[in-house]
Structure formats: structure tokens, C-alpha cells
């Protein structure tokens, strides 16, 4: 191959690579902007309803008793900086996957990891009040779940969220 022909091939491959990289970066930026990606770094509960899957939960939260004292982040994510953003990334992945492929359950079923996190956050805020009432809940997360009795605290009434699950039923749903 002549030197001139090799230079031409390298130039053509460089242009093709630049176009490909530009297309991937452009589509990524467009998707990030279209999906309101920056909003997910905030603590604004409206960001949880960006993709409309969580609209019933957001509407329920607005009518709940915790509306004035806690946001989605307070109950559903770790409170430490790095674990919070790791959980946000993990949940964002599952939510975007579910939204894209429409393969989520309706009503949405909380994952085991997030259910335990929710319980931990209940106890972090109300631990002094309930510590003597449910001592096993701090060592055995399945002993007593706060939401078994206080299921309307975070999302108000169940209107639009489907039938209420019975305690333990969620484990059966996860195994399906």
C-alpha cells in the first residue's frame, strides 16, 4: 500500500470514528436532557415522577402525613452521601430499564434491598419512639415492618396504586 493511500485510509477512519463518537455523545446528551437527568441529582420529589411510572406514588405522597416533613429521598435512600448516590444510580437504572422495556409490575413492588432501606430510615427518624416497642426490628429487619401498620404514611391512600398486599405477600411476588 502506498504511503498516500495509507494516509487517505487513516483520514477516512478518523472521520468515521469522529462521526461515530459524536453521534453516541450527542444521543447520550439528548437522552440525558430529554429524561431531565440533572433533576435526579436533586431531592425534589417531582423528579421521581419524571417518567410517569411513579405518578401515583408522587400524588399519594402529596396527600400523605409525611408530605411536610419527608421527601422520597428521606425515606427511600441512604442518608450518607456516597451510598445515597450509589442507590440513586442503581434505582435509576432499574427504573429506566423498566420504563424503556415496560417490564415492571403494576402496582410497583419495592425491591427487598429498598424495603430494608425504608425500614432503616423509619427507625432512623422514629427509633427513639419505637425502640422499646419493636426491639427485634433493629436486629431482624423482617421482625416488624413499620409499613405493615403505617402503610399510608408515605404515600397516602392506595388510590391508583392497586390492591394492598398482605404482610409477606411481597416475598411471593418477588419469587414469581
Amino acid at each position: 500500500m502506498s504511503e498516500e493511500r495509507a494516509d487517505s485510509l487513516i483520514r477516512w477512519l478518523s472521520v468515521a470514528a469522529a462521526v461515530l463518537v459524536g453521534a453516541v455523545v450527542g444521543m447520550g446528551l439528548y437522552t440525558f436532557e430529554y429524561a431531565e437527568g440533572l433533576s435526579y441529582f436533586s431531592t425534589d420529589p417531582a423528579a421521581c415522577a419524571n417518567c410517569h411510572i411513579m405518578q401515583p406514588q408522587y400524588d399519594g405522597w402529596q396527600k400523605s402525613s409525611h408530605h411536610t416533613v419527608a421527601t422520597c429521598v428521606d425515606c427511600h435512600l441512604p442518608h450518607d452521601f456516597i451510598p445515597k448516590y450509589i442507590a440513586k444510580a442503581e434505582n435509576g437504572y432499574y427504573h429506566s430499564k423498566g420504563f424503556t422495556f415496560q417490564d415492571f409490575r403494576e402496582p410497583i413492588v419495592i425491591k427487598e434491598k429498598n424495603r430494608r432501606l425504608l425500614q432503616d430510615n423509619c427507625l432512623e427518624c422514629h427509633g427513639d419512639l419505637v425502640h422499646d416497642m419493636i426491639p427485634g426490628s433493629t436486629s431482624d429487619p423482617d421482625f416488624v415492618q413499620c409499613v405493615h401498620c403505617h402503610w399510608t404514611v408515605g404515600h397516602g391512600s392506595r388510590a391508583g396504586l392497586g390492591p394492598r398486599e398482605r404482610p409477606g405477600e411481597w416475598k411471593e411476588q418477588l419469587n414469581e
Side-chain angles (χ1 to χ4, degrees):
M1 178 182 293
S2 71
E3 188 172 315
E4 187 176 306
R5 191 174 168 121
D7 286 345
S8 175
L9 180 62
I10 289 172
R11 228 177 289 127
W12 185 88
L13 288 175
S14 297
V15 169
V19 168
L20 181 64
V21 168
V24 169
V25 169
M27 286 189 310
L29 289 173
Y30 175 78
T31 301
F32 189 77
E33 175 63 22
Y34 182 76
E36 301 179 52
L38 283 179
S39 68
Y40 294 105
F41 291 98
S42 75
T43 57
D44 182 1
C48 295
N50 279 353
C51 66
H52 310 290
I53 292 172
M54 299 296 244
Q55 191 64 47
Q57 286 79 9
Y58 178 70
D59 292 343
W61 169 78
Q62 289 184 311
K63 297 172 187 167
S64 75
S65 62
H66 274 49
H67 175 246
T68 57
V69 294
T71 64
C72 310
V73 170
D74 295 323
C75 297
H76 292 283
L77 293 177
H79 296 163
D80 294 327
F81 184 79
I82 291 176
K84 176 170 62 178
Y85 282 97
I86 289 172
K88 274 186 170 231
E90 185 177 11
N91 289 336
Y93 166 76
Y94 286 117
H95 290 186
S96 62
K97 179 183 160 285
F99 181 72
T100 301
F101 296 108
Q102 297 291 302
D103 65 349
F104 56 90
R105 292 182 51 96
E106 289 193 69
I108 294 172
V109 176
I110 192 169
K111 292 186 177 300
E112 174 63 24
K113 180 179 179 181
N114 291 334
R115 183 178 298 275
R116 290 178 192 269
L117 186 58
L118 177 64
Q119 177 71 9
D120 290 346
N121 286 338
C122 288
L123 294 175
E124 187 173 322
C125 291
H126 303 287
D128 291 341
L129 180 67
V130 299
H131 187 269
D132 293 336
M133 294 175 1
I134 50 172
S137 66
T138 56
S139 58
D140 179 4
D142 291 329
F143 182 75
V144 173
Q145 296 283 310
C146 297
V147 294
H148 286 166
C149 298
H150 303 280
W151 54 275
T152 61
V153 165
H155 295 287
S157 68
R158 298 285 296 184
L161 295 176
R164 182 171 182 253
E165 63 191 38
R166 293 184 308 269
E169 188 173 86
W170 56 272
K171 288 183 178 178
E172 296 167 12
Q173 292 173 348
L174 289 175
N175 293 330
E176 289 180 355

